[in-house]
Amino acid sequence: MIPAAIAAVFRDCVGTDDKDEHHGYQLQQFIRSGDIDNFKDSLKYPEFRAVINMKNHLGCTPLRIAAAEGQLECVRYLLDLGALVDSPDVKLQTPLLVAMKNFHFDCAELLLERGASPNGDPHHITTPIYIMTMEGSFRGMKLLLEHGADTYESHNHILPMMSLHVPVCPVQVALTYKRYNCLRLLLSYGAETNYFHFYSHIEEQKHMMLYDICISKSCVLVGFQLLYESGTNIYIRPKESKQVWEMEERPHIQSYLKYITENPRSLKSSCRLSLMHQYGRSLLSQLDKMDIPTVLKTYLSLADIPDS
């Protein structure tokens, strides 16, 4: 499936007419140089409008180039003329993905409003939300999540075909890179709190607990707190996982884990968890509509748990 998808992209890069290729090249140069006047003037002519979806040797359409360069006016103009919003390059990067990678959030927002998939190309191993989590970009993540980005293991169906054993899970990335503000946002949008699937030929290694990743990556206390307060089941543990009494090198973590394993969840915490389950990823948007005190909104959005 992947070789066929890439081959299809390369086939799209082959020009059918020298004049079309020349017009396409000119259009792309206007975008790269920021020459907005000549860019708009050229698109008054049908021969230039005919190549708005033509790809260069790297599979980049004018829209893909404009998104990467952060040329918002060009992006809007091309979309108004009917440019394909999700046309990928030879690396299967969509215009939205490159806009997010380069932190051009104004272009990314416009692309999303015009129908761009928040999860990128389905044949690409990674997703925009994965990249934004890794970069620790709260703004980028929030923009994607507000437009329906997947909080689970997007595109992991590709991994077995590529013989890779690397998880594509935004929550796992947040824990690994210690992006606790990103972790909070993902959990507020209903991200999985217990397992992520890990593709391996060994049956026992196909699932791992996020809680164990929190331990293995030496996360600080807030990581454990956010997972627990979002409903992580701390009692389902692999046999080889560290037990509470084995964490003597981290007494504050040991003390917290000991407390939550020996005491029932508080009523306040249970109510928050119930609302998180009821509203799922719409919780934050619903909170804005609720006529409740700010301190309660802070609590329900997990903002009461400090980052350090």
Side-chain angles (χ1 to χ4, degrees), residues 40-57:
K40 288 185 174 181
D41 286 342
S42 66
L43 287 171
K44 293 176 182 176
Y45 301 95
E47 57 266 32
F48 279 93
R49 291 195 179 202
V51 297
I52 61 170
N53 289 314
M54 178 176 284
K55 297 184 176 184
N56 63 14
H57 63 294

Side-chain angles (χ1 to χ4, degrees), residues 71-267:
Q71 298 285 2
L72 179 62
E73 200 168 348
C74 292
V75 170
R76 180 177 286 107
Y77 207 74
L78 287 165
L79 289 172
D80 288 343
L81 289 176
L84 298 175
V85 71
D86 277 329
S87 185
D89 60 21
V90 294
K91 293 183 179 179
L92 301 177
Q93 301 176 117
T94 62
L96 174 64
L97 182 66
V98 295
M100 298 301 293
K101 280 175 65 176
N102 290 287
F103 305 103
H104 299 313
F105 298 128
D106 50 354
C107 291
E109 185 172 10
L110 179 58
L111 288 165
L112 287 164
E113 289 173 352
R114 296 297 185 90
S117 169
N119 297 316
D121 190 278
H123 298 103
H124 198 295
I125 191 172
T126 191
T127 62
I129 193 73
Y130 182 99
I131 293 172
M132 289 296 97
T133 305
M134 188 168 60
E135 295 290 346
S137 174
F138 186 90
R139 179 185 173 186
M141 289 182 65
K142 196 168 189 302
L143 178 61
L144 289 166
L145 290 167
E146 286 174 346
H147 286 84
D150 190 357
T151 61
Y152 296 92
E153 341 164 46
S154 302
H155 306 181
N156 260 8
H157 61 281
I158 295 172
L159 298 177
M161 305 173 196
M162 302 181 69
S163 299
L164 294 176
H165 297 164
V166 181
V168 182
C169 171
V171 172
Q172 191 257 344
V173 174
L175 290 171
T176 300
Y177 285 84
K178 299 176 174 57
R179 310 295 195 189
Y180 300 117
N181 61 331
C182 297
L183 175 63
R184 178 184 290 105
L185 188 61
L186 287 165
L187 295 173
S188 296
Y189 272 87
E192 169 63 47
T193 58
N194 286 319
Y195 295 102
F196 76 88
H197 299 291
F198 188 83
Y199 285 92
S200 172
H201 297 299
I202 304 172
E203 186 66 29
E204 292 75 17
Q205 293 181 2
K206 286 189 176 179
H207 297 84
M208 291 184 68
M209 295 294 294
L210 289 170
Y211 213 75
D212 290 303
I213 291 177
C214 210
I215 293 173
S216 65
K217 299 300 180 182
S218 300
C219 291
V220 297
L221 182 59
V222 63
F224 292 89
Q225 290 175 317
L226 286 170
L227 285 179
Y228 175 71
E229 292 297 336
S230 299
T232 296
N233 190 333
I234 61 174
Y235 301 103
I236 304 176
R237 312 283 297 284
K239 293 179 181 178
E240 67 276 11
S241 178
K242 280 189 177 182
Q243 301 298 326
V244 173
W245 53 84
E246 296 176 313
M247 299 184 65
E248 295 179 357
E249 73 280 6
R250 303 172 71 193
H252 60 301
I253 302 293
Q254 183 187 47
S255 176
Y256 175 72
L257 293 178
K258 189 172 185 296
Y259 177 81
I260 62 176
T261 53
E262 293 178 352
N263 294 275
R265 185 181 292 273
S266 70
L267 178 59

